[in-house]
Amino acid sequence: MQLPAPDPAVLSKSAHIVARLRAVLPADAVIDDPAETRAYECDGLSAYRCPPLAAILPRTTEEVSAALRICHEEGAPVVPRGSGTSLAGGALPTADCVVLGVARMNRVLEVDYENRFVRVEAGRTNLSVTGAVESEGFFYAPDPSSQLACAIAGNIGMNSGGAHCLKYGVTTNNLLGVTLVLMDGTIVELGGAHMDAGGLDLLGVVCGSEGQLGVVTEATLRILPKPEGARPVLIAFGSNEVAGACVADIIKAGVLPVAIEFMDRPCIRACEDFAHAGYPDCEALLIVEVEGSPAEIDEQLGLIRHIAMRHDPLEFRESGSEAESAKIWLGRKSAFGAMGQINDYMCLDGTIPVSALPEVLRRIGEMSREFGLDVANVFHAGDGNMHPLILYDANKPGDLEKCEALGAAILTLCVEVGGCLTGEHGVGIEKRDLMSVQFAPVDMEAQMRVKDAFDPKWLLNPAKVFPLSASESRRAG
C-alpha cells in the first residue's frame, strides 16, 4: 500500500507547528516524542505503519477548532482518529501529518428519554452509550464487534453496523445530528434531536465520509426501548454453500430476524477454543436471533426452523436461557480476537446481494486454493456484509503481497455480483486502489468535488479513499 511522500515544507517546520499547538492546547495534549508517536503509527490494519509528525488529544470542541485552524494555516495534513480500531487503514498517518484523537472527549452531554435521543462527545465508546441509558430500559442499536473499544467518531466516519444491523440499520439510520469542525476551524451543527432536519442532507454526506470532510466532536444518537425478549438459535451445516442458501431462503420468506451471523469451520474452532461457547463441530454455523414477546419469538423461530430443515442441518439448537444466549454471542463477538491468537490475518469488508451468498462462498473457497492462503469467513449474513479473514504469515517474504492480491480478487468479485467494496469498515487505504473497480472516473470526480467544498486544501485525511493518481493534483494544491 503506497503512501504519498511527506511534504518537505511541513517537515522543515515541524517544531514550529508543534510549538503553535502547545500554545493553544493543554501540556499533556500534544505528543511529539518519536517514541510516543509510535502509539499512533497505525490502526487496526497493523500491516502498515508510519509514525506521524505529532499527535494531539484535545478535550473540547473549541480545542479541536483551535488546533485545526493552526494546521490549516501551516498546511499540515490532519488524520482524525477515534479509538484506532479501523480495519481499513482509515487512521493510518503520514510522516508529515498531525493525528487528532478524540478519545478524551467522552462525556454524555444530554439524555432525553421522552424524545429518545442521547447526545455524547464523539470519543465515547459504542458500548458505553448503551451503558449510559440501559438503566431506563433503552439501548443504542449499532453494535460493531469492536463495540467495547471503538469510538462513536469512528462509527460515524465509517458508517459502522454490527450483528444487529439487519433489523435496526447501521450508524446512518441511528444518527440524528453532529457537531462538526471543518479544517479551517469553523464549527458547524448538522441535524439535531429529531429526524429529517430541514435543508440539505449534509448529515448523510458526513456519515461514512471517513474523516475527510471534518472532525466530528459531538453526536446526537437515536436510542430505542429494549425489546421484551430475544432468543438466538444455532444452525449447523455441512457446507458453506448450504448455509448461504439457508440465509437467502430466510430473507426471501419475509422473516426479519434481529441478526443472522455466519461462521465457517476455521472461525468456529478458533472461537470455541477462545470463548468455550459450546459451538457444534461443523463446516458452517448460523446464529439467528429474533426478538419480541414470547409468542412472537416462538412464531418466528418456528418458521425459521421450517426453512432450515429444508436444508438438512446437522443441528438446530435453540438457546434455553439468558446465560446460553450470552455465551452464543460471546463466541461470535470474540471472532476477530480469537483468530488473531492463531494467525496473522487481514480482515476484508465487502457487501453482496444475499442471493449471491452461495456462489460467492464457493468462489472464495476456490480463490483460497488458487492463492495458497486459507480464508476464514465470519460475517453479517442477513445483509450480505462479508468479512473474509485471509490468513498469512507476516514474517514470510511475499505473503503480505499475496494476501493483498487475494483480497483484491475477493472484493472485485463482490462488485461483480452486484455488491460493493465496503459495508462498514470504510475504504481507507485498504480498498483505495480498488475504487476504480466500482466507480467510473466521472463518479469519483463527483465525490472528490464534495471534498473540495468542505476541505479545499485537501488537508483532512487526504491519502485515503481515492486512488492517489486521481487525487494527486488536488493534494498538491
Side-chain angles (χ1 to χ4, degrees):
M1 297 292 179
Q2 181 186 1
L3 287 175
D7 185 344
V10 173
L11 294 178
S12 68
K13 56 181 178 180
S14 58
H16 169 69
I17 294 171
V18 169
R20 290 197 64 188
L21 291 170
R22 289 192 189 281
V24 298
L25 296 172
D28 65 348
V30 181
I31 301 168
D32 68 327
D33 183 284
E36 294 183 3
T37 57
R38 287 194 175 277
Y40 301 91
E41 68 181 0
C42 70
D43 52 21
L45 186 64
S46 57
Y48 312 102
R49 300 167 184 267
C50 179
L53 181 156
I56 58 174
L57 301 171
R59 289 184 171 87
T60 67
T61 296
E62 290 70 28
E63 288 180 1
V64 171
S65 174
L68 285 178
R69 189 176 300 111
I70 289 169
C71 292
H72 184 261
E73 292 170 356
E74 300 293 346
V78 174
V79 173
R81 178 185 171 106
S83 297
T85 58
S86 168
L87 294 170
L92 179 69
T94 51
D96 59 350
C97 88
V98 174
V99 169
L100 192 159
V102 297
R104 290 178 175 174
M105 303 176 66
N106 56 18
R107 296 177 300 160
V108 175
L109 303 173
E110 181 182 4
V111 181
D112 187 328
Y113 295 111
E114 183 177 354
N115 293 300
R116 299 184 180 181
F117 74 84
V118 59
R119 188 165 61 89
V120 300
E121 291 182 323
R124 192 168 183 88
T125 59
N126 175 286
L127 189 59
S128 70
V129 175
T130 290
V133 299
E134 62 184 348
S135 63
E136 298 297 324
F138 285 81
F139 75 108
Y140 178 58
D143 60 338
S145 295
S146 58
Q147 66 179 153
L148 182 64
C150 65
I152 291 298
N155 290 178
I156 294 170
M158 304 303 175
N159 194 20
S160 303
H164 290 85
C165 68
L166 178 59
K167 180 173 182 178
Y168 294 113
V170 293
T171 299
T172 192
N173 305 111
N174 296 275
L175 179 66
L176 300 175
V178 297
T179 298
L180 184 75
V181 186
L182 304 182
M183 186 64 214
D184 65 359
T186 303
I187 301 171
V188 297
E189 301 286 341
L190 303 178
H194 47 80
M195 299 294 286
D196 297 326
L200 295 174
D201 182 18
L202 296 179
L203 185 64
V205 174
V206 168
C207 186
S209 62
E210 306 195 25
Q212 295 186 100
L213 307 183
V215 177
V216 175
T217 59
E218 296 177 10
T220 302
L221 309 170
R222 181 171 62 162
I223 55 175
L224 301 169
K226 286 185 177 180
E228 186 175 343
R231 194 184 311 157
V233 294
L234 296 178
I235 314 175
F237 294 95
S239 77
N240 289 354
E241 292 84 355
V242 174
C246 182
V247 172
D249 284 351
I250 290 172
I251 299 300
K252 282 191 291 186
V255 186
L256 186 61
V258 184
I260 306 179
E261 295 293 295
F262 178 104
M263 303 168 71
D264 67 3
R265 181 178 286 278
C267 198
I268 294 167
R269 287 178 170 173
C271 291
E272 182 60 23
D273 291 342
F274 183 83
H276 308 292
Y279 288 162
D281 184 25
C282 58
E283 290 299 321
L285 177 69
L286 297 180
I287 301 173
V288 185
E289 182 170 273
V290 300
E291 66 181 21
S293 68
E296 289 174 317
I297 289 174
D298 289 341
E299 180 181 358
Q300 293 178 77
L301 288 183
L303 181 54
I304 290 169
R305 176 187 285 273
H306 176 72
I307 295 169
M309 290 305 164
R310 299 205 304 257
H311 296 273
D312 298 320
L314 302 177
E315 183 177 347
F316 187 99
R317 185 195 307 172
E318 188 173 325
S319 171
S321 67
E322 287 188 15
E324 286 185 20
S325 297
K327 210 169 188 181
I328 288 171
W329 280 112
L330 175 63
R332 168 60 184 90
K333 290 287 187 179
S334 302
F336 291 175
M339 291 300 300
Q341 285 196 327
I342 64 173
N343 221 102
D344 300 312
Y345 70 82
M346 185 173 291
C347 175
L348 303 183
D349 164 50
T351 299
I352 63 172
V354 174
S355 60
L357 274 173
E359 175 192 353
V360 170
L361 288 169
R362 176 181 59 79
R363 284 291 294 125
I364 288 176
E366 294 171 354
M367 290 177 178
S368 171
R369 292 186 288 273
E370 290 168 11
F371 282 83
L373 294 175
D374 290 333
V375 178
N377 289 288
V378 53
F379 56 88
H380 313 311
D383 66 343
N385 186 193
M386 305 191 71
H387 296 312
L389 309 179
I390 303 176
L391 310 185
Y392 73 102
D393 185 347
N395 297 312
K396 182 178 178 181
D399 244 29
L400 175 59
E401 291 75 17
K402 190 189 298 185
C403 175
E404 291 176 346
L406 175 53
I410 291 173
L411 291 170
T412 298
L413 173 64
C414 289
V415 175
E416 288 174 350
V417 299
C420 58
L421 291 173
T422 179
E424 59 175 341
H425 291 179
V427 175
I429 64 160
E430 178 204 17
K431 312 180 190 76
R432 182 190 63 199
D433 297 324
L434 292 173
M435 283 286 280
S436 58
V437 173
Q438 182 173 343
F439 298 105
V442 67
D443 299 319
M444 282 192 282
E445 175 64 22
Q447 295 176 46
M448 289 189 288
R449 286 183 180 180
V450 174
K451 180 164 174 59
D452 291 341
F454 280 81
D455 179 21
K457 291 186 177 182
W458 274 62
L459 292 175
L460 274 171
N461 227 7
K464 313 296 165 56
V465 180
F466 302 107
L468 296 182
S469 58
S471 65
E472 183 176 8
S473 62
R474 285 172 158 91
R475 289 183 288 105

